[in-house]
Amino acid sequence: MQRKSVDPPRPGARRQWGADRRSAPHPLVPPAVSEGRINRGRLAIVLTITVWACYIVSTVIQQFIAGRADTARLVIEAIVYMIVVTGLAASATAYLITRIGFFYRSRAHHRAPRIVLDTYLQGRTPSMTVLVPSYQEDERVIRTTLLSAALQEYPGLRVVLLIDDPQQPRTRAARDLLLSARALPGAIEAELAVPYERVRAAYETFEDDSSSSVAAMRDLAAEYRFAAGWLYALGHRQEMVDHTDVFFVDHIVNAIAEDLATIAEALEGGADEDAALSVDRLTQLYRRLLAIFDATMTSFERKRYVSLSHEPNKAMNLNSYIGLMGGGYQEVSTPLGVALVPAGPGQAELSIPDPDYVLTLDADSVLMPEYALRLVHMLEQGAHERTAVAQTPYSAFPGSATRIERISGATTDIQHIVHQGMTHYDATFWVGANAVIRKKALDEIREIAYEGDWEIRRYIQDRTVIEDTESTIDLRVNGWTLYNYPERLAYSATPPDFGSLCIQRQRWANGGLLILSKLKDQSKARFGELFLRVNYMASIFWSSVCLVVMLVYPFNADLLNPILLLVSVPYFLMMSADLKACGYKRLDVLRVYGFNLILLPVNLSGSFASILQLLTGEKSAFKRTPKVRDRTTSATTYLLAPIALIAFCLYTVVRDVQLRQWDNLVFAGLNLVLATYAMVAYVGVGNTIVDFFTHLRTWLYRPARPSRNAATRPAPAGHAESRALAPTGAIGDWASVLHYHSEKGSSGLVAVRSAQTPSRRGPQTGSNSFEEFTFFTVFQPIFELGTGTVVGYEALTRFADGTRPERGLAAAQAQGRHIDLDAALIRAALASAGALPEGTWLSVNVSADLLKRPRELGPLLAESTRPLVLEITDGTRADLDHVPAGVRIAVDDAGGGYDTLARMESLKPAFLKLGRAALAGVETEQARRASIRSLVDFARKNGCTVIAEGIESAQQRDALAECGVPLGQGFYLGRPVPLERALADAAGR
């Protein structure tokens, strides 16, 4: 069939010598593997293990039994060298084993026929949401990824772009990226609506007729031709910048169009011969066409909401949205910003469906058209009911214009073989760039934490920067399996320069050591699975360390047995064969080795970052791989270290020639040649000089910053601002700077600053360096347990920087300002509580120190416009005698013992608040309930009402009500919320 549109112009960027000459993608289904290739692979495994064993035995005999290692130094050298050889041999063996697993899976795989998939589409398909996390990506990159997701042959797809860009961009370029990302989903959905609405209308007409005829076939053929022409036009509109755009147009958009055009020709051919298809088959073809364009596109920005985690990593970007699935939410303004809170029936401003499957897709990756359909079809089979994650490890885009992108792509394609082989041994790892995940499995590994009062849900752990690897172990521990679909259905971009590649590989090397210990939680794991998992998580570390040791340390010449070379020969021969099968050259195996040599400092840096996090507990910073058109500057360390390695290899070569150490000369000379080639070919002499100059200029020239002393120099005595901030008393100077309402709607946000002026006589001390506390008030309802009626609210403080209230008060006390701050907290609570529902009382906490100052506390409490309760933890009867009439007292965080009863009898409080510790086990322990009943009876006889704090379940609530506790509060009954939300909740009851 002839195309209806002109091909888009191809990128005209200059290609380097040694760039990738491939233009076609890998075959979707791996070609059949010959028996000879499998036998050679088996032989390589046997040879590697045999040679390693022979070397170890011969070394032990020579060094320890024959006694050549006759000093402590030689003994240590022999042991270390055998460990080094064992580590490298283990990594080589793991690779050889996984490739055999890949061969077995390739031979056993049978692709589901298209008619089976069409029949599957005719029935009910599980719901799916595609999540595309994005951070300051180029608009073209995001558009390509979103289109590849939207054009999946899967009905009812919901595609969500998770925009993680800063909400307040600092540069115009960053602002443009944010605005373009926000506009993309709507623009793409509008594009797809054109073919979808036309095909849907045609399908509805066909359903109304429900007859099989030649005319129906011709009508369907017309729809297929229209869809094909629309796709060709879509490809023509694609901005062509590099080889990834060529791939997207040729092998995704145009491939779908050609397939549809072929079906149109077949329909027309059948109609010409009067061979009408059945109604069922016509329905299947209509639904397939609808499925291609049936996608809802939207975006979500977690950083808009203070109630969601802002941790700077991809895992929490995904977690934030997954945690909202299945709920309805309202946007509520708080002093710190907008929060998403659960909404009651019919009140949701944002409703997020809870899908059966979640498809995660990185913003620099694309999916082949049948990816979602084939993987879900497989997951719905009975044999895969406990499979949590299905994926196809991504391949490298063909046709890269740079040498480094080509050789990096070669390692990516080799890793595809490794990951596919690991599935044969039940050692699959979630790779992360693309995956179909069963939502039910994610719910099982969910962990809940709190940031302040906000619930943070974690499905994908972010403790390491390789979050998908740790989640793999979590799923396995919970009895789920993972599966690599044995086809190449996903492609991902490779960093095009050394600087961005270093950032990516440093992240890959960081984290495996941290989660290695979690393997012990996985029961019933076979040795093969454990061996491959340990190798996957730790081999980057031990291989890098072993190689550096061999390169740097001048070992005893007796240890350099010629048989040692045979350990690595099978590994390199098999990898060269795999490279050839993937479309590269056999000699590229040497380029890959040189490439890995210059990446040694990068891998070691990532591994040492893991060790540092293990020792300190401080999480490593997540670094995203830059995806920019310009080159990324390489870190100085990553340039100096390879140059130092080359210099050392040159020194070793000269020394070996002088000492006639010919065996060692071969190893040193090979490393010298390949490392030098890698630096020249993949980094570039010019780029290295430019990067060094850039770092040197940054180090020498630093922009002058305004002097902090000048900014904070005291104003003259007569200055109006200075007079306004003059101390006027323990509470007055704080109250003068309280702001209870702002014009921008952040009511309740209070800034408290010290009015002290630094002394000019000496250095500033800790007592007068106190500058600011910014806080706001939240209200937690107190309920009658019998009726569910709200009778009061407890005012609680939240500091704007996330500091816990007790910490903030402790910091103020250390600076001698705690009474001022305590008074400010109470005044802010009283001011904010004015709008609370009528008939409810307000409970505020007061410190023992402020309680002892009736002259300051009395006027403060007089500002209240509603019944007031003071909550105290310490105090005497004498302190309470000065409390204004009408203000009731509550003893806070009380237990159920004698001391509590004695305090109740002496203080005569109106309320007694039982703390969490006193409630522990109340729902199951008869003795605990009996103790609480006695306390309630004693309190009633003394005119006191018991309030249970910290109620977190319905069982606790029911047990306490049975014990006669009249009032209660806790997260189960109602969370502490800002005033606006408290009023909304009250109105909804």
Side-chain angles (χ1 to χ4, degrees):
M1 173 185 168
Q2 297 296 321
R3 293 185 177 183
K4 299 294 184 180
S5 63
V6 181
D7 285 343
R10 301 302 180 181
R14 179 175 174 270
R15 296 173 61 82
Q16 289 183 345
W17 173 84
D20 192 5
R21 296 181 181 178
R22 300 175 305 146
S23 58
H26 298 285
L28 290 176
V29 181
V33 180
S34 66
E35 193 65 35
R37 191 178 179 195
I38 293 178
N39 288 333
R40 288 191 294 273
R42 293 171 180 158
L43 179 61
I45 296 173
V46 173
L47 184 60
T48 299
I49 296 176
T50 303
V51 171
W52 166 79
C54 291
Y55 175 78
I56 295 297
V57 171
S58 64
T59 302
V60 170
I61 293 173
Q62 182 186 64
Q63 298 295 317
F64 301 113
I65 298 178
R68 290 195 180 184
D70 53 2
T71 66
R73 175 175 176 273
L74 292 178
V75 169
I76 294 173
E77 281 188 6
I79 295 174
V80 170
Y81 204 77
M82 285 191 293
I83 293 174
V84 166
V85 171
T86 301
L88 295 175
S91 295
T93 304
Y95 172 73
L96 296 174
I97 290 174
T98 53
R99 68 189 297 273
I100 289 293
F102 167 70
F103 294 160
Y104 290 154
R105 298 193 69 225
S106 299
R107 294 178 62 173
H109 177 58
H110 298 286
R111 199 167 201 245
R114 184 68 226 190
I115 186 64
V116 173
L117 299 180
D118 287 343
T119 303
Y120 180 69
L121 282 175
Q122 193 173 5
R124 178 195 173 277
T125 53
S127 57
M128 176 182 286
T129 296
V130 184
L131 302 182
V132 182
S134 163
Y135 177 79
Q136 294 191 330
E137 307 283 359
D138 185 82
E139 178 185 4
R140 175 186 58 86
V141 174
I142 303 176
R143 176 179 168 83
T144 300
T145 300
L146 291 179
L147 279 172
S148 82
L151 292 174
Q152 289 294 301
E153 297 184 17
Y154 198 90
L157 271 183
R158 177 181 172 86
V159 183
V160 184
L161 178 64
L162 301 180
I163 304 172
D164 218 21
D165 297 20
Q167 292 295 294
Q168 302 295 331
R170 297 183 178 182
T171 66
R172 181 174 182 177
R175 182 203 63 186
D176 292 344
L177 288 175
L178 176 60
L179 294 178
S180 63
R182 287 172 173 170
L184 263 177
I188 294 175
E189 185 174 32
E191 285 186 273
L192 294 174
V194 174
Y196 175 75
E197 291 299 331
R198 169 172 169 151
V199 175
R200 186 174 64 84
Y203 179 51
E204 290 176 352
T205 302
F206 166 75
E207 281 189 314
D208 292 340
D209 186 11
S210 294
S211 62
S212 174
S213 64
V214 171
M217 290 178 62
R218 294 192 186 279
D219 291 341
L220 180 57
E223 299 307 317
Y224 267 78
R225 283 200 178 278
F226 169 80
W230 186 89
L231 287 167
Y232 283 132
L234 176 67
H236 185 69
R237 294 195 299 271
Q238 175 74 12
E239 181 185 3
M240 306 297 281
V241 174
D242 58 25
H243 62 294
T244 62
D245 302 306
V246 175
F247 180 92
F248 172 70
V249 171
D250 286 348
H251 303 296
I252 295 181
V253 178
N254 287 352
I256 301 174
E258 289 168 4
D259 190 23
L260 299 183
T262 300
I263 294 174
E265 280 190 1
L267 288 168
E268 290 170 346
D272 291 340
E273 297 179 8
D274 294 328
L277 293 178
S278 66
V279 173
D280 282 347
R281 184 57 180 151
L282 290 173
T283 300
Q284 290 174 0
L285 292 174
Y286 264 114
R287 290 196 174 182
R288 179 187 178 185
L289 196 57
L290 281 170
I292 294 175
F293 304 108
D294 184 11
T296 301
M297 312 288 294
T298 186
S299 64
F300 182 80
E301 299 175 55
R302 61 168 174 146
K303 290 180 179 176
R304 288 185 56 200
Y305 305 106
V306 296
S307 53
L308 300 178
S309 172
H310 290 192
E311 284 285 330
N313 55 63
K314 183 179 76 173
M316 292 311 300
N317 192 12
L318 290 168
N319 286 335
S320 295
Y321 192 82
I322 296 173
L324 298 174
M325 286 179 169
Y329 304 91
Q330 284 181 322
E331 293 187 354
V332 174
S333 295
T334 74
L336 296 182
V338 178
L340 274 183
V341 297
Q347 297 180 341
E349 300 173 5
L350 173 67
S351 296
I352 299 179
D354 192 20
D356 298 309
Y357 292 97
V358 175
L359 194 164
T360 60
L361 179 63
D362 280 0
D364 59 350
S365 302
V366 298
L367 303 176
M368 303 304 280
E370 294 181 354
Y371 176 97
L373 178 58
R374 288 193 175 275
L375 268 62
V376 171
H377 175 260
M378 180 205 72
L379 287 168
E380 287 295 291
Q381 308 305 311
H384 290 279
E385 63 179 353
R386 290 299 295 175
T387 300
V389 177
Q391 62 189 358
T392 62
Y394 59 86
S395 303
F397 287 105
S400 57
T402 63
R403 288 184 293 269
I404 189 171
E405 198 168 0
R406 175 181 174 274
I407 209 66
S408 180
T411 63
T412 297
D413 290 334
I414 289 294
Q415 280 297 309
H416 176 90
I417 295 175
V418 170
H419 281 289
Q420 291 287 7
M422 290 174 73
T423 297
H424 181 73
Y425 303 99
D426 294 325
T428 310
F429 274 94
W430 180 1
V431 178
N434 67 87
V436 174
I437 313 160
R438 200 183 297 270
K439 178 59 165 49
K440 183 170 65 174
L442 287 177
D443 290 336
E444 284 194 20
I445 64 172
R446 178 185 64 193
E447 294 182 2
I448 296 179
Y450 291 92
E451 292 182 5
D453 292 318
W454 306 119
E455 182 180 273
I456 303 299
R457 299 185 178 187
R458 280 181 172 81
Y459 302 85
I460 306 168
Q461 291 298 321
D462 68 329
R463 191 165 61 95
T464 72
V465 293
I466 50 170
E467 64 284 335
D468 38 32
T469 301
E470 183 168 8
S471 299
T472 297
I473 307 301
D474 293 336
L475 289 167
R476 290 291 290 155
V477 168
N478 281 271
W480 292 95
T481 62
L482 299 92
Y483 188 83
N484 284 321
Y485 194 74
E487 298 183 11
R488 291 187 184 263
L489 295 175
Y491 286 78
S492 188
T494 304
D497 60 80
F498 187 68
S500 56
L501 184 75
C502 287
I503 294 173
Q504 181 196 68
R505 296 303 172 95
Q506 198 264 358
R507 187 176 73 247
W508 287 2
N510 182 359
L513 297 177
L514 284 171
I515 58 179
L516 196 59
S517 62
K518 296 187 73 171
L519 284 177
K520 70 179 186 300
D521 300 328
Q522 185 178 330
S523 60
K524 299 181 181 179
R526 297 177 298 175
F527 172 78
E529 178 187 352
L530 287 176
F531 171 66
L532 293 178
R533 289 198 185 280
V534 170
N535 177 77
Y536 180 81
M537 291 189 284
S539 64
I540 290 180
F541 171 69
W542 80 54
S543 296
S544 300
V545 171
C546 290
L547 191 53
V548 168
V549 170
M550 291 187 69
L551 288 170
V552 173
Y553 189 81
F555 283 95
N556 176 11
D558 290 339
L559 297 173
L560 302 178
N561 194 316
I563 197 175
L564 186 61
L565 294 175
L566 293 178
V567 176
S568 59
V569 167
Y571 168 78
F572 285 112
L573 287 178
M574 294 303 101
M575 182 179 286
S576 66
D578 294 340
L579 288 169
K580 179 67 176 176
C582 291
Y584 300 92
K585 299 178 181 179
R586 291 184 184 273
L587 284 179
D588 282 336
V589 70
L590 297 177
R591 296 186 177 93
V592 169
Y593 178 76
F595 177 69
N596 288 329
L597 279 179
I598 64 173
L599 285 177
L600 273 177
V602 178
N603 293 332
L604 288 173
S605 171
S607 299
F608 290 147
S610 290
I611 296 174
L612 184 64
Q613 181 175 340
L614 192 64
L615 295 175
T616 65
E618 185 175 351
K619 189 186 301 184
S620 299
F622 182 84
K623 297 179 181 178
R624 294 176 171 89
T625 306
K627 304 178 185 73
V628 295
R629 300 187 186 182
D630 298 328
R631 191 173 63 84
T632 302
T633 304
S634 305
T636 306
T637 305
Y638 300 151
L639 297 173
L640 286 175
I643 293 174
L645 175 63
I646 293 171
F648 183 80
C649 289
L650 179 61
Y651 164 76
T652 305
V653 167
V654 173
R655 189 192 62 180
D656 290 340
V657 170
Q658 293 173 346
L659 299 177
R660 298 177 181 273
Q661 295 179 347
W662 309 119
D663 293 340
N664 197 45
L665 175 63
V666 174
F667 181 64
L670 183 65
N671 289 323
L672 172 64
V673 172
L674 295 181
T676 304
Y677 170 82
M679 278 298 291
V680 173
Y682 304 138
V683 183
V685 176
N687 291 340
T688 302
I689 295 173
V690 169
D691 289 352
F692 272 134
F693 176 77
T694 301
H695 291 301
L696 180 63
R697 183 182 63 181
T698 303
W699 179 65
L700 292 176
Y701 171 71
R702 304 198 176 197
R705 296 180 179 177
S707 171
R708 182 172 293 185
N709 292 335
T712 60
R713 185 178 296 119
H719 195 277
E721 184 179 359
S722 178
R723 290 196 302 271
L725 292 178
T728 59
I731 298 178
D733 59 336
W734 292 87
S736 65
V737 294
L738 292 178
H739 301 285
Y740 302 116
H741 301 276
S742 76
E743 296 178 359
K744 297 184 179 180
S746 58
S747 61
L749 186 64
V750 180
V752 181
R753 296 178 177 83
S754 170
Q756 286 185 289
T757 304
S759 173
R760 302 190 185 194
R761 296 183 181 180
Q764 191 170 344
T765 65
S767 63
N768 58 19
S769 63
F770 177 59
E771 291 183 355
E772 179 177 293
F773 282 106
T774 304
F775 60 88
F776 62 97
T777 304
V778 293
F779 298 93
Q780 185 172 34
I782 300 172
F783 290 81
E784 278 189 355
L785 296 183
T787 64
T789 304
V790 176
V791 296
Y793 290 87
E794 180 181 358
L796 300 168
T797 296
R798 296 295 180 261
F799 286 95
D801 61 359
T803 302
R804 296 182 65 82
E806 55 268 27
R807 281 194 176 186
L809 291 169
Q813 185 169 14
Q815 301 169 27
R817 310 295 294 177
H818 59 293
I819 295 177
D820 294 341
L821 180 58
D822 196 21
L825 299 181
I826 294 175
R827 179 173 279 117
L830 297 178
S832 300
L836 287 174
E838 291 294 331
T840 59
W841 39 266
L842 176 68
S843 177
V844 296
N845 292 272
V846 62
S847 67
D849 290 333
L850 184 57
L851 188 63
K852 296 179 185 298
R853 299 194 179 192
R855 292 185 180 180
E856 297 161 2
L857 182 60
L860 191 62
L861 300 181
E863 299 178 12
S864 178
T865 58
R866 65 180 52 254
L868 195 61
V869 175
L870 284 189
E871 293 193 19
I872 63 172
T873 54
D874 296 307
T876 64
R877 183 67 246 178
D879 296 332
L880 302 183
D881 290 340
H882 301 289
V883 173
V887 176
R888 293 176 289 177
I889 299 298
V891 175
D892 193 16
D893 201 20
Y898 170 79
D899 291 341
T900 297
L901 302 179
R903 290 189 69 199
M904 192 190 312
E905 193 171 33
S906 65
L907 297 180
K908 302 296 183 183
F911 299 98
L912 180 74
K913 304 195 74 172
L914 278 179
R916 293 174 185 269
L919 306 185
V922 67
E923 62 269 40
T924 58
E925 299 175 8
Q926 291 288 347
R928 178 72 67 180
R929 289 201 288 271
S931 173
I932 293 177
R933 288 192 191 98
S934 299
L935 179 67
V936 171
D937 290 340
F938 185 83
R940 187 180 300 114
K941 292 175 182 178
N942 285 271
C944 181
T945 302
V946 176
I947 303 175
E949 291 186 294
I951 299 176
E952 296 183 351
S953 68
Q955 292 79 7
Q956 276 189 332
R957 177 200 60 193
D958 295 342
L960 289 166
E962 181 187 341
C963 293
V965 176
L967 304 179
Q969 66 185 103
F971 276 19
Y972 175 75
L973 301 175
R975 294 180 179 276
V977 293
L979 177 63
E980 294 87 346
R981 179 61 183 172
L983 295 176
D985 290 344
R989 291 190 185 100

